[in-house]
Amino acid sequence: MASRQRIYGVHAVRAVLDHRPETVLAAKVLRDASGKLAELERAIAERGIALERVARGDLDRLAEGGVHQGIVVEVAAPPEFSIGDFETLVVERGRALRLLVLDGVED
């Protein structure tokens, strides 16, 4: 079984729905959603993704202290890129390889 990740926050969830909707497995949305949150709820329902309306405390727990803005989705995680995969990439690309390494990037 593929591993799963949680993504939360209005903008992050919108991005995954726009660019990788096939990876979204389920969504939990704050009860009585309105505005942008209600729009996201409709978009999720239109795609046939399992949707559950929950209390804020449930979302707080799922987001583990993150700022969820009333929505948490579960997605199929991409396959892990191992050190062996990286070494293969370096050998294959040689001097043509260009990397951008980021650390501590936040929303």
Side-chain angles (χ1 to χ4, degrees):
M1 175 180 234
S3 70
R4 297 173 176 219
Q5 294 178 320
R6 288 189 189 120
I7 296 175
Y8 50 84
V10 172
H11 298 293
V13 171
R14 171 52 69 193
V16 79
L17 282 176
D18 289 346
H19 300 288
R20 296 186 303 130
E22 70 283 356
T23 66
V24 181
L25 305 172
K28 295 189 187 309
V29 180
L30 184 65
R31 286 188 187 117
D32 303 321
S34 63
K36 289 183 180 185
L37 198 53
E39 291 172 21
L40 270 179
E41 186 176 26
R42 281 190 294 278
I44 289 165
E46 287 170 1
R47 288 172 171 82
I49 297 166
L51 176 69
E52 184 180 353
R53 291 172 187 88
V54 298
R56 182 169 299 280
D58 295 327
L59 294 172
D60 291 342
R61 182 182 52 77
L62 290 169
E64 298 176 339
V67 181
H68 54 73
Q69 299 175 306
I71 188 162
V72 176
V73 296
E74 188 173 291
V75 298
E80 189 171 309
F81 192 75
S82 71
I83 191 69
D85 296 330
F86 180 72
E87 289 171 344
T88 300
L89 180 67
V90 170
V91 170
E92 288 175 356
R93 300 275 174 93
R95 291 179 162 235
L97 180 67
R98 300 294 183 262
L99 297 174
L100 172 63
V101 180
L102 304 172
D103 183 25
V105 176
E106 297 182 21
D107 181 26

